[in-house]
Amino acid sequence: MYTASDLRKGLRIKIDNEPYIVTEFNFVKPGKGQALYRCRLKNMVNGSQFERTFRSVDVFEEADLQEKKMQYLYQEEGKYCFMDNDTYEQIFLNEDQIGDAKNFLLDNIEVEVLLFENRPLGISLPNFIDVVVTKAEPWARGDSVSGNTKPVTVQTGYQLQVPPFIEEGEMIRIDTRSGEYITRVKG
Amino acid sequence: MSEDYSWKLAAKSESLFLRAKMVQAIRRFFVDQDFLEVETPLLVFEQAVEVNVDAVAVGDRFLQTSPELCMKRLLAAGYRKIFQICKCFRQNERGARHLPEFTMLEWYRANADYKDIMTDCEDLIISVAGGIGLKKTSFSKARLLLMEKPWDRITVEEAFQRYAKIEVSDALGNGRFDEVLACEIEPNLGIERPVFLYDYPREHASLAHCRDDGDIAERFELYIAGIEIANGFSELTDPDEQRHRFEEAFRQRKEKGYTGYPMPEKFLETLHQMPPSAGIALGVDRLAMLFADRQTIDDVVAFTPELL
């Protein structure tokens, strides 16, 4: 059981017996008024989206999803293919179902495929992944004005802000829930 | 391997320098106008009873949710112009504009009303913006901070008529006042110029003076760029009416299953000595968000709870 204060981007909850994922989340509280939890929700079965505002007294059940360990194989024309390594069964998900996770799909990475009534609807990634930086501007040492962060591209094509000392070819750890840099991984 | 926290802290340096300059300019503004800077305890026995504000309990005391009651006891004791910059604590408030521990600026004037405090707001923010060298051309929000006074003023009733699909009386009747205000009205406020939203229904002002047979509370909120920056009012000075409102807030808290608080007896005992006054609470972190042009409050404080 979740309460409104558990709501965050990526949380999956059950509404009218169907699974929904929170795609946007905002905590708002006007003046001395009551706390409001504004969410954009996506129905994981049919993809329909809507906005809803919850209050602190609201409670939710976890979405009724089964998880199945599968390996990511490849992407072709917007279809993402995953395989069950025990049965060799393959399933496909579209880009919308993959969502932001497409930024972190390393070749052969193991993920949890989420199933609702045996239908695959999405995936759940490990919280942290280690990736190689494929493109980074060199660090101008002593440049203290613009030297706080710099953008880099990692092997999946994803771009993010990192500390200025990170260089091309280095490995970094990313939090897949926030998409943010966590630390440098020494090889 | 642990997270690289030092980098996260270092990445905030620009806004932390700006924030520090802003706080120094705020202090200078009040000192130049002969306000007395005061410090009141963070750990208190008594605090204002508000339906939707939850305090953090520490033993038999609370971390203050606002310094309001102690500041008013100083007014009652004869101090005429006082200000304070301090930490306040509110449970379960965390979002892009909320921290459970945040910095508040409060100031109070004896023999003044809420319109005097609106003028203070204009003078303060314009002076601070100039004092830290903001230029009108620097970025969109700085432009707003430098707008010449008087800033716009709109009553709550007018704001509902202009921006909401529902009348204020209906929103009060079906309990949707906060939701309509937050979701339909606030995003439109202070976009072209800063705006004072004023004259609240009495149900939404637990410590403000009410006029027009008690139906309208002399309370206002300052909005800049859709962000609520400050909440001020003409102070209620009638101890019986104040007790009655606290009791009503207790009743509503109980109804919602929230924790109760002790009746602020020491405050109520001295309230009759307080002259007609007005005061305000301004969110320092949020003002820093505007000055530094940041979208989240996380960027203008060194440590969020998550970095501890």
Side-chain angles (χ1 to χ4, degrees):
Chain A
M1 200 68 112
Y2 296 120
T3 65
S5 58
D6 295 317
L7 289 168
R8 61 176 190 281
K9 197 174 161 189
L11 189 74
R12 292 178 284 264
I13 60 175
K14 179 157 95 175
I15 301 174
D16 299 332
N17 287 317
E18 295 212 313
Y20 284 79
I21 182 163
V22 177
T23 55
E24 280 170 46
F25 171 74
N26 266 311
F27 173 81
V28 287
K29 192 170 184 296
K32 293 190 169 175
Q34 56 186 309
L36 300 166
Y37 303 81
R38 297 190 76 186
C39 295
R40 187 161 184 83
L41 293 159
K42 187 169 86 173
N43 182 310
M44 295 178 69
V45 179
N46 60 31
S48 68
Q49 299 203 30
F50 61 92
E51 289 202 2
R52 189 178 279 188
T53 301
F54 298 102
R55 293 159 190 239
S56 49
V57 291
D58 291 324
V59 290
F60 316 90
E61 279 182 69
E62 206 173 324
D64 253 334
L65 297 166
Q66 291 81 51
E67 292 188 347
K68 192 177 191 181
K69 233 181 226 344
M70 295 183 99
Q71 191 179 26
Y72 170 60
L73 295 184
Y74 62 89
Q75 184 261 125
E76 203 174 70
E77 289 170 6
K79 293 279 180 197
Y80 292 77
C81 180
F82 298 86
M83 184 173 73
D84 182 327
N85 275 333
D86 295 327
T87 64
Y88 304 111
E89 174 206 5
Q90 293 187 6
I91 62 116
F92 292 89
L93 289 167
N94 64 38
E95 193 154 344
D96 190 44
Q97 292 169 317
I98 297 287
D100 289 342
K102 70 169 188 290
N103 294 325
F104 311 111
L105 278 177
L106 295 165
D107 290 345
N108 301 321
I109 189 177
E110 203 166 68
V111 304
E112 298 285 353
V113 170
L114 304 169
L115 305 147
F116 179 69
E117 292 170 347
N118 294 320
R119 272 176 63 190
L121 297 182
I123 62 168
S124 175
L125 288 170
N127 289 343
F128 301 100
I129 58 160
D130 295 346
V131 291
V132 175
V133 174
T134 52
K135 208 170 137 193
E137 296 296 323
W139 180 23
R141 222 175 247 276
D143 179 3
S144 61
V145 179
S146 60
N148 289 331
T149 67
K150 70 176 184 185
V152 296
T153 308
V154 298
Q155 66 190 99
T156 58
Y158 177 63
Q159 291 190 352
L160 76 162
Q161 293 289 328
V162 302
F165 52 77
I166 298 293
E167 297 185 33
E168 223 165 85
E170 279 194 285
M171 186 167 275
I172 60 170
R173 183 160 298 164
I174 297 180
D175 186 326
T176 61
R177 297 159 295 184
S178 63
E180 285 177 10
Y181 164 88
I182 295 297
T183 188
R184 172 156 59 173
V185 183
K186 297 213 171 81
Chain B
M1 196 177 303
S2 68
E3 189 162 345
D4 195 343
Y5 290 117
S6 293
W7 166 68
K8 285 202 168 173
L9 296 175
K12 302 182 191 200
S13 70
E14 212 174 310
S15 42
L16 293 185
F17 274 101
L18 191 71
R19 177 198 172 103
K21 269 168 91 175
M22 182 193 84
V23 172
Q24 286 152 14
I26 290 172
R27 195 163 259 129
R28 213 159 40 235
F29 173 84
F30 285 107
V31 171
D32 285 350
Q33 293 198 54
D34 298 322
F35 272 75
L36 173 68
E37 179 166 12
V38 297
E39 289 183 83
T40 60
L42 300 185
L43 212 45
V44 294
F45 289 105
E46 296 189 348
Q47 55 164 6
V49 189
E50 307 259 8
V51 180
N52 294 303
V53 178
D54 288 325
V56 177
V58 181
D60 59 350
R61 290 189 278 184
F62 299 97
L63 288 170
Q64 68 172 2
T65 57
S66 132
E68 185 164 359
L69 299 194
C70 284
M71 298 286 277
K72 287 185 181 174
R73 285 177 65 184
L74 290 170
L75 287 174
Y79 295 93
R80 290 293 175 256
K81 287 156 76 177
I82 50 177
F83 82 101
Q84 171 160 214
I85 299 170
C86 61
K87 285 300 186 77
C88 294
F89 304 82
R90 296 180 184 177
Q91 269 195 65
N92 305 321
E93 299 195 4
R94 181 73 179 103
R97 297 174 189 174
H98 289 84
L99 288 168
E101 173 179 347
F102 61 101
T103 303
M104 192 90 103
L105 160 67
E106 291 209 358
W107 74 92
Y108 291 81
R109 279 179 181 274
N111 306 312
D113 71 8
Y114 68 149
K115 297 206 165 151
D116 300 313
I117 301 290
M118 290 186 205
T119 306
D120 279 344
C121 284
E122 293 164 340
D123 292 339
L124 167 73
I125 292 172
I126 292 169
S127 148
V128 170
I132 67 172
L134 276 193
K135 297 278 186 296
K136 274 184 190 168
T137 49
S138 46
F139 46 82
S140 62
K141 283 172 192 161
R143 182 182 55 79
L144 292 173
L145 297 167
L146 284 160
M147 283 280 182
E148 277 167 27
K149 66 177 187 177
W151 292 345
D152 288 344
R153 294 172 191 210
I154 180 175
T155 66
V156 170
E157 194 176 356
E158 286 164 357
F160 269 76
Q161 281 164 4
R162 194 175 302 174
Y163 302 115
K165 299 181 201 80
I166 182 173
E167 293 277 323
V168 63
S169 52
D170 294 335
L172 284 169
N174 62 20
R176 290 190 59 225
F177 181 88
D178 290 332
E179 188 185 331
V180 174
L181 189 62
C183 302
E184 295 180 34
I185 298 176
E186 281 190 358
N188 299 300
L189 297 178
I191 304 304
E192 293 298 320
R193 307 169 61 79
V195 61
F196 296 103
L197 180 68
Y198 72 105
D199 282 359
Y200 277 67
R202 71 158 177 263
E203 295 88 336
H204 286 266
S206 65
L207 294 108
H209 165 73
C210 292
R211 61 156 205 275
D212 298 353
D213 295 333
D215 281 342
I216 293 293
E218 288 194 348
R219 170 187 165 197
F220 71 89
E221 297 256 4
L222 169 61
Y223 286 90
I224 304 175
I227 299 181
E228 178 205 342
I229 297 295
N231 172 33
F233 35 88
S234 307
E235 305 296 345
L236 173 61
T237 52
D238 175 350
D240 296 331
E241 171 63 17
Q242 184 66 76
R243 181 181 296 275
H244 172 73
R245 291 204 207 157
F246 283 156
E247 280 167 354
E248 174 58 23
F250 274 131
R251 194 191 58 72
Q252 287 188 42
R253 286 190 66 86
K254 207 168 165 187
E255 212 173 83
K256 293 176 179 235
Y258 300 163
T259 49
Y261 300 115
M263 183 61 86
E265 295 292 351
K266 279 207 174 75
F267 164 71
L268 289 170
E269 270 167 35
T270 51
L271 190 53
H272 71 278
Q273 297 168 348
M274 192 170 99
S277 306
I280 186 166
L282 181 151
V284 171
D285 312 286
R286 289 196 192 168
L287 192 60
M289 284 171 67
L290 290 176
F291 274 103
D293 199 24
R294 303 287 162 165
Q295 298 303 312
T296 108
I297 203 164
D298 300 35
D299 290 346
V300 296
V301 295
F303 291 93
T304 57
E306 296 78 13
L307 288 183
L308 290 176

